[in-house]
Amino acid sequence: MDARDADLEKDLDATLRTRRELGEEYESALVESFLEKVDQRIDGAVERRVRRQLAEQQMTAARDSRSPKPTDTFGERFGFGIVSLVLAIPLSAIGGGVAHLPGMLVAWAGIVGVNVVQVARTNPDLFGRRRRRDRDDAWED
């Protein structure tokens, strides 16, 4: 029996003694008073549990927000490819107009470089790099 149960038991004993002293006409008021104390204890316990669960959910959400999310979706790859091609046209024109063939080569090297970085970011295993989480798992074996 913990301290809260002992306090509740003392309150019940005091309520019963008071009822004996005052008589049956005060019985409903005494019972209501005791039940109010019990309700307060229950509300306090429920509130503590809810706060604890809310804190656990917030911690879980904070951990999940820090973990890397897979970004290699079809829509992202398709959109990035379209944007690269659309931007390649004016970049080729500017590079070719300013520096002719070497300017075009530099413009296309930049376009290819940006696309390679995007692929490396979304598919780390493609270039032989593994995510940090995979390296950590290797230590556990």
Side-chain angles (χ1 to χ4, degrees):
M1 182 182 301
D2 63 356
R4 288 180 285 179
D5 290 340
D7 289 343
L8 195 58
E9 188 174 337
K10 287 178 186 176
D11 287 343
L12 179 60
D13 287 340
T15 302
L16 291 174
R17 275 183 276 152
T18 306
R19 189 240 176 236
R20 279 187 223 122
E21 290 176 9
L22 296 177
E24 290 184 22
E25 54 270 359
Y26 292 102
E27 183 174 336
S28 64
L30 292 170
V31 169
E32 285 180 27
S33 172
F34 178 74
L35 289 177
E36 188 174 314
K37 290 177 186 178
V38 171
D39 282 344
Q40 288 173 355
R41 296 271 171 99
I42 291 172
D43 289 344
V46 169
E47 186 176 335
R48 283 189 300 276
R49 286 182 185 162
V50 167
R51 270 195 254 137
R52 186 179 325 126
Q53 287 177 347
L54 191 63
E56 288 173 1
Q57 289 174 352
Q58 288 173 345
M59 287 177 57
T60 302
R63 281 189 211 121
D64 290 346
S65 69
R66 287 185 293 175
S67 64
K69 304 247 186 305
T71 57
D72 191 20
T73 62
F74 175 75
E76 183 177 338
R77 289 191 314 253
F78 185 73
F80 196 82
I82 294 296
V83 169
S84 293
L85 289 175
V86 167
L87 291 177
I89 295 168
L91 289 175
S92 298
I94 292 169
V98 171
H100 304 291
L101 182 62
M104 282 185 65
L105 291 176
V106 168
W108 276 96
I111 293 166
V112 169
V114 167
N115 281 286
V116 167
V117 168
Q118 173 68 9
V119 169
R121 185 179 70 82
T122 58
N123 300 311
D125 294 335
L126 190 63
F127 293 99
R129 291 185 347 212
R130 301 185 106 167
R131 291 183 188 242
R132 180 181 184 108
R133 187 173 53 225
D134 294 339
R135 286 194 310 251
D136 291 343
D137 291 343
W139 284 99
E140 294 176 7
D141 291 338

